[in-house]
Amino acid sequence: MKLFAAPLNFRDIATEYQVPTDFDPALREEAARAEDRYADARRDARDIPLVTIDPVGSKDLDQAVYIEATGGAEGPAGYTVVYAIADVAAFVAPGSALEEESLRRGQTIYLPDEPARLHPPEISEGKGSLLPDVDRPCVLWTFHLDGVGEVEDFHVERALVRSRARLDYDGVQADLERGAVHPSIALLPEVGKLRQESALRRQAVNVRLPSQRVVESDQGGYELIIEPRHEVMDYNSEISLLTGMCAGQLMQSRGAGLLRTLRPASEETESQFRAEAQALGFEIGGRSIGEFLMSVDADTPRGMALMRETLHLLRGADYARVGSEEEAVHAGIGGYYAHVTAPLRRLVDRFATEVCLALANDQEPPQWVLERIDAVLESMRRTTQLASTVDKACLNLTEATVLQPWVGENFHATILTSDAEKHKARIFVPEPPVLANCVGAPQQGGEESVSLVKADTQARDVLFAWPAD
């Protein structure tokens, strides 16, 4: 059964939740005039052959990477990972209108048809972006890893770099499959796998969540599909996680900064997840959650559903000032952690990076950073909730639109949870891939036929019923 939808427009959602999708002309003018405030304090690192890896068509390029092996006549004794991060603080001056707007927006919010960016395009897609073949200011992290991928030491500094290529995940994955990866990242799969093994040793929980999107069909109309999650995405994300862990450990050890935190899931939450995994046909056995998730093919409908349910284990993520009562390790990472690798898209990264630059050079964090930490924390908490709400609204609208013509039809479903007392269940429908509520209480873990009784595009609500008509 192929299900199609009419073209979708997400403008109403942006308006409903007051998500700004453009910038005042005065802000764009200020962004266009902004110059590198730290031009005289940069190392010239333009000789390093960095490359960026992002989704196809991306222009807001936060990170560039280069990896080389070190020593060892019989194989690598270790690795040097060089990671350049866009230096947004170079163009957003303390006290400026640009800073005030970024505090208000908090982060880029990704509507399916157009992102609501944190910074004007003159910065996010221009002078602040690590575009290829042009000189760009950055914050340069250099990591020395041992032969099993663990950190021996690292350094962070301001630098000037010149990316050699703008690569995309589809292309890099194709190169990987034919054995012709760009020389700058030829070791990315090797180091990525070592870092994944390190994550297992830390009991980390790595959620590899594929995207659901609507694509135009050759037959006319639109279809809801699962977008493949390439393994190179996971390897690349390990470099970002490595950076965030080193940043978090640095700030926590020196008693200053901003952490990303997550308390461990409760026994009840983990027990429910294990039951849902079993209902979807997965057997966790005696493995840790992290080890089990590494074995799941996230590109299948059931794998996608499982990864979405894994998010229940990661509820309660927050930001905290180092030294506060809220300070904690990130249970999903297995250590102290900080957001520092996406300053074009997240406000907190710019401020946490400034703290790291100071501490790594035995200096006190800038006063303008310390004065704004509380405002940054408030902004990130508020806009993270907003981003989650908007993302859910967009997904709900998509599902309701795709399913609306099929109200009254029967679908095959897996019963994830069932509550006889409340006469309701949570189900997974593989075609199209949808997690939804169901009236009725069929047996948990069973395979049942259910009826689609509501697909309301105005309320953005989908509801099934059991037993099927």
Side-chain angles (χ1 to χ4, degrees):
M1 180 187 291
K2 289 287 186 182
L3 306 185
F4 302 103
L8 290 165
N9 186 332
F10 298 92
R11 295 298 89 198
D12 288 346
I13 292 176
T15 300
E16 178 181 344
Y17 292 103
Q18 299 180 322
V19 176
T21 55
D22 53 12
F23 288 89
D24 186 279
L27 283 170
R28 296 195 62 169
E29 243 181 79
E30 182 179 330
R33 292 194 309 269
E35 296 183 356
D36 181 4
R37 301 191 296 125
Y38 304 104
D40 297 332
R42 296 191 184 279
R43 167 192 165 192
D44 188 344
R46 289 174 291 180
D47 59 317
I48 301 175
L50 296 152
V51 298
T52 59
I53 317 173
D54 292 272
V56 175
S58 295
K59 295 179 181 178
D60 53 338
L61 311 181
D62 283 292
Q63 311 113 8
V65 64
Y66 168 69
I67 305 175
E68 65 180 12
T70 56
E74 299 180 358
Y79 306 86
T80 298
V81 178
V82 184
Y83 205 38
I85 305 299
D87 192 355
V88 179
F91 304 109
V92 180
S96 66
L98 281 173
E99 183 189 58
E100 288 305 311
E101 183 66 11
S102 69
L103 283 165
R104 184 171 75 88
R105 294 189 179 221
Q107 58 191 286
T108 296
I109 294 179
Y110 287 96
L111 295 154
D113 52 356
E114 179 187 5
R117 299 207 179 278
L118 173 60
H119 302 103
E122 288 78 9
I123 292 175
S124 62
E125 298 181 355
K127 65 185 70 178
S129 177
L130 300 181
L131 297 167
D133 303 319
V134 289
D135 295 347
R136 284 291 185 262
C138 79
V139 175
L140 196 67
W141 294 79
T142 303
F143 306 95
H144 298 289
L145 310 182
D146 63 19
V148 295
E150 298 294 353
V151 179
E152 292 184 324
D153 61 68
F154 67 92
H155 181 62
V156 57
E157 60 191 325
R158 281 198 153 92
L160 188 68
V161 296
R162 191 179 182 90
S163 170
R164 300 298 193 269
R166 183 175 71 177
L167 307 178
D168 61 71
Y169 288 118
D170 291 349
V172 174
Q173 184 65 34
D175 290 344
L176 178 62
E177 290 170 1
R178 64 188 180 90
V181 179
H182 191 287
S184 294
I185 54 170
L187 290 170
L188 178 61
E190 189 172 324
V191 171
K193 289 175 183 176
L194 290 174
R195 292 302 302 171
Q196 287 175 341
E197 292 170 5
S198 174
L200 293 179
R201 291 192 289 271
R202 299 191 308 271
Q203 299 289 301
V205 176
N206 183 14
V207 181
R208 296 171 292 113
L209 189 64
S211 298
Q212 285 176 279
R213 66 186 177 99
V214 173
V215 296
E216 191 167 2
S217 168
D218 294 337
Q219 303 171 23
Y222 289 77
E223 181 183 359
L224 183 65
I225 67 167
I226 299 174
E227 193 169 53
R229 182 174 178 86
H230 299 312
E231 59 183 340
V232 71
M233 295 179 178
D234 299 323
Y235 300 150
N236 198 39
S237 70
E238 287 295 337
I239 308 303
S240 180
L241 292 171
L242 163 68
T243 308
M245 288 191 68
C246 288
Q249 290 164 0
L250 172 64
M251 289 190 285
Q252 194 278 332
S253 68
R254 301 291 184 87
L258 303 97
L259 299 174
R260 182 63 165 159
T261 64
L262 177 67
R263 304 289 180 178
S266 67
E267 289 185 9
E268 180 183 356
T269 300
E270 182 170 333
S271 177
Q272 180 176 334
F273 172 76
R274 288 176 177 271
E276 291 178 356
Q278 186 173 11
L280 285 166
F282 296 98
E283 185 59 48
I284 300 178
R287 293 175 290 178
S288 69
I289 298 295
E291 184 181 3
F292 159 66
L293 290 175
M294 288 296 295
S295 70
V296 174
D297 182 356
D299 289 342
T300 64
R302 291 179 183 275
M304 179 278 296
L306 181 78
M307 290 298 172
R308 278 180 57 182
E309 293 304 281
T310 305
L311 297 177
H312 293 290
L313 298 173
L314 305 180
R315 283 179 173 169
D318 198 2
Y319 293 93
R321 179 195 289 261
V322 171
S324 68
E325 292 183 1
E326 293 77 24
E327 177 189 309
V329 300
H330 193 293
I333 302 297
Y336 288 104
Y337 183 66
H339 276 158
V340 293
T341 62
L344 289 172
R345 290 170 276 172
R346 278 191 310 250
L347 171 71
V348 68
D349 299 53
R350 181 166 88 242
F351 288 82
T353 293
E354 290 303 310
V355 176
C356 289
L357 283 165
L359 297 179
N361 293 281
D362 297 319
Q363 299 172 357
E364 290 294 317
Q367 192 61 31
W368 64 267
V369 172
L370 299 177
E371 290 172 352
R372 290 165 177 79
I373 284 181
D374 288 339
V376 170
L377 292 175
E378 186 280 328
S379 178
M380 291 307 302
R381 287 168 178 153
R382 171 176 51 82
T383 59
T384 296
Q385 179 60 50
L386 174 62
S388 176
T389 300
V390 168
D391 185 61
K392 184 176 180 181
C394 291
L395 179 60
N396 289 347
L397 173 61
T398 301
E399 292 178 345
T401 304
V402 167
L403 288 168
Q404 189 177 49
W406 299 87
V407 171
E409 296 292 329
N410 293 341
F411 291 76
H412 179 77
T414 299
I415 313 306
L416 300 179
T417 63
S418 186
D419 189 328
E421 184 176 331
K422 295 182 179 179
H423 197 59
K424 68 177 185 178
R426 183 165 172 78
I427 64 172
F428 169 63
V429 176
E431 181 62 42
V434 171
L435 292 163
N437 293 322
C438 178
V439 177
Q443 183 176 355
Q444 180 173 334
E447 303 286 329
E448 299 287 350
S449 179
V450 296
S451 293
L452 178 63
V453 296
K454 181 167 68 171
D456 187 337
T457 57
Q458 293 300 313
R460 300 190 287 268
D461 188 26
V462 168
L463 183 66
F464 291 84
W466 176 86
D469 292 336

